[in-house]
Amino acid sequence: MVSDATAPDGGAEVQDEPSRGDVIIVTARRRQETAQEVPLAISVIRGDSIESTGNFNVVKLQQLAPTLQVYASNPRNTAVNIRGLGVPFGLTSDGFEQGVGIYVDDVYNARVAAATFDFLDVAQVEVLRGPQGSLYGKNTAAGAINITTNQPTFDFEGRAEVTVGNLNFKQAKAAVSGPLSDTLAARIAVSATARRGTIFNVTSDRYINEQDNLGLRGTLLFRPNDDLDITLSGDYSRQNPECCGTVFVRVGATQRPLARQYAALAAAQNYSVVSRNPFDRLTDIDAPLNAGNVIGGASLRAKWDAGPGTLTSITAWRFWDWKPENDRDFTALPIVTASNNPSQQDQYSQEFRYNYAGDNVDFVMGAFGFKQRIDTQGFEQQGAASSRWNLTGALANNPAVLAGLTARNTQFLKSTSAALFGQASWKVTDALTIQPGLRINYDKKSGFYQRVVTTGSGSLLTCPQPTGSIDAAQCGVFTPQTSAPSVSDWNFSYDLNANYKVAQDVLAYASYAKSFKTVGINQNGLPLNAAGVPIAASGVVKPESVNHFEMGVKTQFWDRKGTFNLTAFRTDIKNYQATVTNGQLGVLRGYLANAGKVRSQGLEADFKIRTSDRFSAYLNGAYTDAKYATFVDAPCPPELAGGTIVGADQTPSAPGTPGGLSPANCDISGQSLPGVSKWAVSYGAEVNTPLTLFATDGQLYVGFDGNYRSNFSSNPSPSIYTNVQGYALSNYRVGFRSDNFDVYGWVRNVFDVQYFELLQVAPSNVGLIAGQPGDPRTLGATIKFNF
């Protein structure tokens, strides 16, 4: 719904009309139209707004789009949600689909790791909210991020940009475009970003969580006549930072005996954290870190204007190569000495789409095919401190029990999807339009998982083992297993939109969508029953069933110098795909399954005004009430770990009091979904005045952009220890621009607000909470040239 224009000065407004008077054209409905004409919830953010505010990837883009939530502990463990919906928070599995689709020039990116890369020569980004099944090749139940890059031109043009800042920040971008012949044009773009890390690791004597990104994109456009465009594109992006580590945040009491909680365990090993103030930005993690990440591919797009309609074909191949190294115990103790799960993905997609435009009827119909394979080679190893951290009794005092215990995982996923989809637009009267849409979808997933476990002596471990034995203790940490889940499923979905032009500049609309998130499998191994036997029936995860309702109004006023848009929405999802711990089955660990029902509802409002070419301002806000309607077998939060549940209100026993068996699950029905703030706001303004500088006519400008979000849960099951407090960030810039160049200084997080992007519960639920602090105050200068 947020369809505002970019400020006349290139500021951060999220709008439908850019500065300098030209109207933003969007392709959210697979046709060109202005954002204020689109009867759905959409944010449109121009490339110059992205650059001027420093929001150079999807992770940072949420500062401009209040209903977008992005969280990343590393590129693989990235969650992109809209209105609190998309993927289960904190869960990484190749066996289920993303709820928010990421498209770059009409090509679907199956791996959400693409969201962590720098935007490369981007023209604009459209954030669509709500189910997208009747217009997009790959069905997405929560929304889509549609990224459009700048295309080759038959007139020569070029641009270059250089930015420097504190923390040794350096960023350079360049793009050049022009004709190779009368029918062939080319464009090439490059981007490089580097920054010193924001956390100092006293163990390695290095800064970590740095930025080290490189991106390349090349495009050829063949236009033999005015009716046919054939575009060949290729891109390559690489990240190679020492990342991603955490800092100590706090310790919370659990229900375990005091001897089994963090304070006693750390004291028993003479361990003291380097700093108990997370904003000292110090850590002492001892395992190697790496977030090596390579992604790229090629696409061929053909667009043929055939009489009253347009036929489009998009053929694409993409790859992803993930090379991680992690410290999963968040301490300097050798508890987990290695946790590395490198992956390689190849995906192929083909989409055909036909757009027809008539006097009273328009329609889009398409066919989509998708094939994907992911291979993963996991390596996890326990260290000399693991026995003390994870075991009880005499075994806890014997480091040899778990030291060197190693799990090697081999897994692959084969995924195939095919769909027919379409949407019609019937202009009943000059004011009333009815838009029905439908989708027929087929998915098939086949997986393989094998875990081989060896002890510190190198012998193979077999499970289950007699209770109380060393082997049984080892089986409780790593269990050998082989599984090969497979499933296929058909889905039918549909939507209906009615929109009415109340007046020339007032559009009202209402829509309903019956959608789904497709079937999934447990790709990371199956849960075990009380006898230690894998539960084969849990290999398949049923599709989510989505009912979505939305209504809104889009208005323009004051001779179209201002816009005000308002949307109300409600989404109900049955068979929500999440991590569960099903106590009725005696399951010993969490796994991916269906968890009752969730609901997200709220209001979104967007206001912008441009009184003249000298001043513009915007204010975008969202209220989102996202809850688990029913979730009776959720993993328990850390404060309930190791205790018993007394009654339906889940009153725990006193901290430190042995409670016998740990609760197998917790009922969190009615509690908030993780990662979503009830209130989120973005706002800003820019003012400029004419100025001649060095014999060059231009503008002196000052801009401000800010955003606020209220507190949110940072754990799948809400916890008093992982609640992230709300915060507001403020960014300023001042500069001079002309037609050929733009130079400005900027300060981001100008008040040096201390906030967390993410909090995490350490393994073993001993009460340790680690986190990732948000960026401190940063400052720098940027210069851009157009030629």
Side-chain angles (χ1 to χ4, degrees):
M1 172 206 95
V2 186
S3 307
D4 301 276
T6 311
D9 33 73
E13 276 185 82
V14 185
Q15 331 178 324
D16 69 353
E17 293 181 15
S19 58
R20 306 179 182 97
D22 48 334
V23 176
I24 276 191
I25 302 299
V26 300
T27 57
R29 295 196 298 164
R30 302 313 194 190
R31 56 169 80 84
Q32 292 190 342
E33 55 194 336
T34 65
Q36 286 296 106
E37 295 175 331
V38 179
L40 55 81
I42 176 174
S43 302
V44 185
I45 307 170
R46 281 175 36 125
D48 54 0
S49 296
I50 292 169
E51 293 172 353
S52 66
T53 57
N55 296 286
F56 53 82
N57 58 28
V58 174
V59 177
K60 293 182 176 294
L61 194 65
Q62 61 184 323
Q63 296 185 16
L64 298 180
T67 52
L68 179 66
Q69 300 96 31
V70 188
Y71 306 96
S73 57
N74 60 43
R76 176 177 173 83
N77 293 318
T78 299
V80 179
N81 286 354
I82 291 176
R83 296 168 173 170
L85 305 175
V87 293
F89 192 83
L91 176 69
T92 298
S93 173
D94 296 325
F96 69 94
E97 302 287 333
Q98 304 298 320
V100 176
I102 298 177
Y103 291 84
V104 180
D105 292 334
D106 286 344
V107 176
Y108 174 71
N109 286 252
R111 301 309 308 175
V112 75
T116 67
F117 284 99
D118 292 357
F119 289 132
L120 183 57
D121 200 22
V122 166
Q124 68 183 36
V125 178
E126 302 165 13
V127 180
L128 290 76
R129 299 190 282 284
Q132 306 297 324
S134 60
L135 287 171
Y136 283 76
K138 188 69 173 174
N139 181 76
T140 52
I145 299 174
N146 189 28
I147 301 170
T148 303
T149 66
N150 292 307
Q151 297 300 294
T153 59
F154 283 93
D155 294 318
F156 179 80
E157 65 178 39
R159 60 185 298 270
E161 173 184 331
V162 176
T163 299
V164 295
N166 65 331
L167 303 181
N168 202 25
F169 179 73
K170 298 183 289 290
Q171 187 175 70
K173 300 178 182 180
V176 62
S177 178
L180 300 179
S181 71
D182 290 341
T183 59
L184 189 65
R187 187 179 190 96
I188 188 168
V190 61
S191 172
T193 303
R195 192 183 76 173
R196 194 205 76 190
T198 55
I199 297 174
F200 187 75
N201 187 352
V202 300
T203 301
S204 64
D205 195 34
R206 289 174 55 89
Y207 281 97
I208 62 171
N209 294 11
E210 60 193 5
Q211 294 176 7
D212 183 4
N213 305 342
L214 174 67
L216 298 168
R217 173 181 291 276
T219 308
L220 286 173
L221 170 62
F222 176 55
R223 182 176 292 165
N225 54 60
D226 292 339
D227 296 330
L228 179 63
D229 280 1
I230 299 176
T231 307
L232 176 65
S233 298
D235 66 279
Y236 172 89
S237 296
R238 188 253 322 142
Q239 294 175 328
N240 192 32
E242 185 174 352
C243 188
C244 300
T246 57
V247 299
F248 174 96
V249 176
R250 65 175 65 97
V251 173
T254 74
Q255 301 304 304
R256 298 178 183 275
L258 292 177
R260 301 299 308 147
Q261 298 193 43
Y262 173 83
L265 292 170
Q269 299 182 76
N270 297 314
Y271 173 68
S272 178
V273 68
V274 61
S275 174
R276 300 182 74 88
N277 178 3
F279 296 103
D280 286 341
R281 301 179 186 272
L282 296 174
T283 189
D284 58 0
I285 54 180
D286 60 334
L289 293 180
N290 188 30
N293 198 20
V294 179
I295 196 166
S299 67
L300 180 66
R301 181 177 59 197
K303 183 177 180 181
W304 178 37
D305 289 335
T310 302
L311 180 64
T312 304
S313 170
I314 306 114
T315 306
W317 161 70
R318 298 206 61 76
F319 70 89
W320 177 58
D321 190 4
W322 169 234
K323 301 175 181 179
E325 293 180 279
N326 302 290
D327 190 322
R328 286 299 182 209
D329 58 51
F330 306 149
T331 72
L333 291 169
I335 302 168
V336 180
T337 56
S339 179
N340 312 324
N341 291 277
S343 293
Q344 307 83 42
Q345 180 217 236
D346 278 285
Q347 71 167 67
Y348 303 87
S349 61
Q350 174 64 56
E351 181 173 348
F352 294 105
R353 194 168 63 238
Y354 181 73
N355 294 57
Y356 170 84
D359 293 335
N360 296 314
V361 175
D362 301 338
F363 66 81
V364 179
M365 61 180 182
F368 179 75
F370 176 83
K371 188 175 182 64
Q372 175 189 41
R373 174 162 179 143
I374 305 174
D375 290 275
T376 302
Q377 309 82 37
F379 178 79
E380 301 174 77
Q381 190 170 70
Q382 299 294 301
S386 182
S387 294
R388 168 67 70 177
W389 208 259
N390 292 290
L391 304 180
T392 60
L395 295 180
N397 298 316
N398 183 0
V401 175
L402 295 183
L405 186 69
T406 302
R408 289 178 171 83
N409 306 328
T410 301
Q411 56 182 292
F412 68 76
L413 171 74
K414 296 178 181 178
S415 178
T416 302
S417 179
L420 297 174
F421 60 92
Q423 185 183 93
S425 179
W426 175 34
K427 192 173 183 181
V428 182
T429 69
D430 289 341
L432 176 64
T433 302
I434 305 295
Q435 296 175 343
L438 58 83
R439 180 186 187 88
I440 301 173
N441 202 92
Y442 172 78
D443 287 280
K444 181 178 181 180
K445 289 182 169 64
S446 299
F448 175 79
Y449 174 88
Q450 183 180 60
R451 168 172 280 195
V452 176
V453 182
T454 56
T455 66
S457 64
S459 61
L460 289 174
L461 180 67
T462 59
C463 299
Q465 294 285 344
T467 303
S469 67
I470 290 178
D471 288 348
Q474 294 170 337
C475 288
V477 177
F478 290 148
T479 304
Q481 184 182 137
T482 300
S483 62
S486 180
V487 67
S488 62
D489 192 48
W490 287 89
N491 294 98
F492 174 74
S493 58
Y494 54 90
D495 55 65
L496 179 64
N497 176 283
N499 55 87
Y500 187 79
K501 203 159 189 178
V502 180
Q504 181 178 0
D505 292 325
V506 180
L507 177 69
Y509 66 91
S511 61
Y512 167 75
K514 175 64 176 176
S515 188
F516 67 96
K517 186 159 79 171
T518 193
V519 67
I521 60 175
N522 265 300
Q523 181 60 19
N524 295 334
L526 303 180
L528 310 177
N529 63 20
V533 178
I535 303 172
S538 64
V540 175
V541 185
K542 292 186 291 186
E544 293 181 353
S545 177
V546 181
N547 283 283
H548 174 76
F549 304 86
E550 187 166 311
M551 60 189 303
V553 60
K554 294 187 171 185
T555 69
Q556 299 179 85
F557 58 90
W558 199 2
D559 196 24
R560 299 191 175 182
K561 294 179 180 179
T563 62
F564 177 75
N565 303 328
L566 185 67
T567 295
F569 66 90
R570 175 170 175 138
T571 306
D572 293 290
I573 301 178
K574 294 181 180 179
N575 292 323
Y576 181 68
Q577 295 173 356
T579 302
V580 304
T581 50
N582 196 321
Q584 289 84 348
L585 297 177
V587 170
L588 299 183
R589 66 170 180 157
Y591 63 105
L592 185 67
N594 299 102
K597 182 179 178 180
V598 302
R599 182 216 68 208
S600 177
Q601 61 185 9
L603 294 170
E604 300 162 349
D606 309 281
F607 168 81
K608 75 92 181 177
I609 193 167
R610 186 182 62 204
T611 59
S612 69
D613 290 340
R614 303 290 169 229
F615 176 79
S616 66
Y618 69 97
L619 174 64
N620 307 319
Y623 169 79
T624 308
D625 179 23
K627 294 183 180 298
Y628 295 106
T630 308
F631 197 175
V632 299
D633 50 2
C636 289
E639 57 264 37
L640 297 181
T644 54
I645 300 301
V646 181
D649 62 351
Q650 298 186 147
T651 304
S653 53
T657 302
L661 295 176
S662 175
N665 52 64
C666 284
D667 184 350
I668 60 172
S669 302
Q671 298 193 40
S672 296
L673 286 173
V676 56
S677 300
K678 277 200 171 183
W679 297 97
V681 185
S682 63
Y683 40 86
E686 185 172 296
V687 61
N688 69 76
T689 185
L691 180 68
T692 300
L693 188 64
F694 303 118
T696 301
D697 293 334
Q699 298 173 348
L700 175 68
Y701 64 91
V702 177
F704 164 77
D705 300 286
N707 66 92
Y708 164 79
R709 62 179 309 178
S710 61
N711 64 289
F712 63 91
S713 168
S714 189
N715 194 57
S717 297
S719 168
I720 58 175
Y721 303 138
T722 58
N723 185 57
V724 176
Q725 295 299 313
Y727 56 87
L729 303 178
S730 300
N731 311 313
Y732 290 89
R733 63 189 179 278
V734 58
F736 175 81
R737 61 169 164 252
S738 69
D739 291 336
N740 297 321
F741 74 91
D742 185 0
V743 57
Y744 61 95
W746 47 264
V747 183
R748 294 163 190 150
N749 189 9
V750 65
F751 300 113
D752 202 19
V753 174
Q754 297 180 343
Y755 68 101
F756 291 107
E757 293 181 345
L758 192 68
L759 297 178
Q760 300 179 67
V761 178
S764 305
N765 263 338
V766 298
L768 172 62
I769 306 297
Q772 294 176 319
D775 281 354
R777 179 193 297 119
T778 57
L779 53 91
T782 299
I783 185 168
K784 302 179 186 180
F785 292 98
N786 297 318
F787 51 88

